[in-house]
Amino acid sequence: HFLFKFEKYNYTMKKLILKIIDFLAYLIFKLLRKPYSEYYAFCMNMIVKLNPNWGQNLEREFQLDYLKSKGLMPASVLLDYGCGALSAGRFFIDYLDEGCYVGTDVAKGVLAEGSRRLTKLGLDGKKARLIHIKNNYLPHEKIGKVDFIWAQSVVTHMSPEDLSEMISQVEPIMNKDSIFLFSFTNNESGVKHRNFKDWEYDLDTLIEISGRYGFVCEIQKDWTHPVDDAGTDKVVCLRLLGS
């Protein structure tokens, strides 16, 4: 009983420490006029440093099931945009053929932790490519052409500027039949920023930004997040105009 109370206290203290770090980091990065993505990368690197097991026990195989329902095959090339420490990526890598997985993230320390996890899981032989995104630049030359782009719980931590930057850079790595699926937190009232690193979007804003860069953006009615009690977690699919 005492051990349970101690562990609960320890968990509460860690959450409090992270909230304080979030608040201070947000103020400092804003005062220094640094890009929002740099602030977010700092926070994620700090989370993994404080808790190396972060995200390891989360049940993320439902993401693989969803992409398979959209046509993902073992031979498909997948870009997991904002892959983090591979909570879901480990399932993609295990399913896909050798060399077919590309994971990108703005947080270098988180990617390093993901790489360590692959080794522990015996998945190094799948030759997954983990690429650090610097200054919001997507390195096309390292990625090549992909069939699917998946960004789950990524846009929920992106400012409108970062979101626009992401969409503006994906066309060169897509074939005419490639699709880009990403989740977002829906807010019918428009764009909303809360809790320092959380963003909500309305569908009209996503359609406008996507159209600006030559994409058709459609809501996916078959998506359900298993722990989304509020029903606000949605997915859109982007396709190149004329594809």
Side-chain angles (χ1 to χ4, degrees):
H1 182 69
F2 172 78
L3 183 61
F4 173 75
K5 278 191 171 182
F6 177 76
E7 287 178 350
K8 190 175 181 181
Y9 171 79
N10 197 31
Y11 174 75
T12 303
M13 287 304 295
K14 278 186 177 179
K15 283 188 72 175
L16 179 60
I17 289 168
L18 287 173
K19 281 187 177 181
I20 293 171
I21 290 172
D22 261 3
F23 173 69
L24 293 175
Y26 181 74
L27 286 180
I28 291 169
F29 276 79
K30 193 159 188 176
L31 285 170
L32 294 175
R33 296 185 178 180
K34 295 287 187 180
Y36 172 82
S37 58
E38 287 188 25
Y39 151 73
Y40 183 71
F42 170 83
C43 289
M44 296 312 295
N45 284 330
M46 186 60 64
I47 287 172
V48 170
K49 194 168 185 178
L50 289 172
N51 180 17
N53 293 320
W54 170 77
Q56 266 196 126
N57 298 319
L58 298 177
E59 296 178 1
R60 292 290 183 256
E61 199 165 3
F62 71 90
Q63 295 181 38
L64 173 60
D65 293 337
Y66 184 71
L67 289 187
K68 285 165 71 174
S69 78
K70 292 297 186 181
L72 184 75
M73 302 290 288
S76 303
V77 180
L78 169 68
L79 169 59
D80 189 3
Y81 197 110
C83 63
L86 306 181
S87 296
R90 56 168 293 189
F91 298 109
F92 299 144
I93 293 164
D94 190 40
Y95 171 76
L96 294 169
D97 290 343
E98 180 183 309
C100 287
Y101 177 89
V102 184
T104 61
D105 205 279
V106 296
K108 197 172 185 178
V110 174
L111 282 176
E113 175 56 32
S115 181
R116 285 191 287 270
R117 292 179 186 182
L118 286 187
T119 300
K120 287 181 182 178
L121 291 166
L123 291 171
D124 284 339
K126 284 300 187 83
K127 296 183 180 178
R129 287 173 284 159
L130 303 183
I131 300 169
H132 180 220
I133 296 177
K134 301 176 183 177
N135 302 318
N136 277 352
Y137 172 69
L138 189 67
H140 309 122
E141 66 283 356
K142 291 183 180 180
I143 296 171
K145 294 290 184 178
V146 302
D147 303 303
F148 288 81
I149 304 172
W150 175 242
Q152 203 276 327
S153 194
V154 175
V155 172
T156 51
H157 305 298
M158 273 189 168
S159 69
E161 292 76 20
D162 290 330
L163 172 59
S164 181
E165 191 69 24
M166 176 182 69
I167 294 175
S168 74
Q169 296 185 70
V170 295
E171 187 271 335
I173 63 172
M174 296 177 72
N175 302 303
K176 65 180 180 66
D177 296 322
S178 301
I179 61 173
F180 181 9
L181 295 151
F182 67 80
S183 68
F184 68 101
T185 301
N186 187 49
N187 185 338
E188 300 293 346
S189 301
V191 180
K192 184 179 179 182
H193 186 198
R194 59 183 178 80
N195 298 333
F196 311 120
K197 61 177 185 285
D198 296 331
W199 292 83
E200 298 174 354
Y201 288 90
D202 61 297
L203 182 58
D204 287 343
T205 294
L206 300 181
I207 291 172
E208 188 278 320
I209 294 175
S210 301
R212 201 186 301 165
Y213 300 106
F215 290 96
V216 175
C217 175
E218 295 180 328
I219 195 77
Q220 303 299 287
K221 296 180 180 179
D222 57 354
W223 167 257
T224 304
H225 195 291
V227 293
D228 175 33
D229 295 332
T232 57
D233 194 79
K234 306 293 183 182
V235 163
V236 290
C237 178
L238 271 59
R239 296 180 186 272
L240 289 166
L241 278 170
S243 62

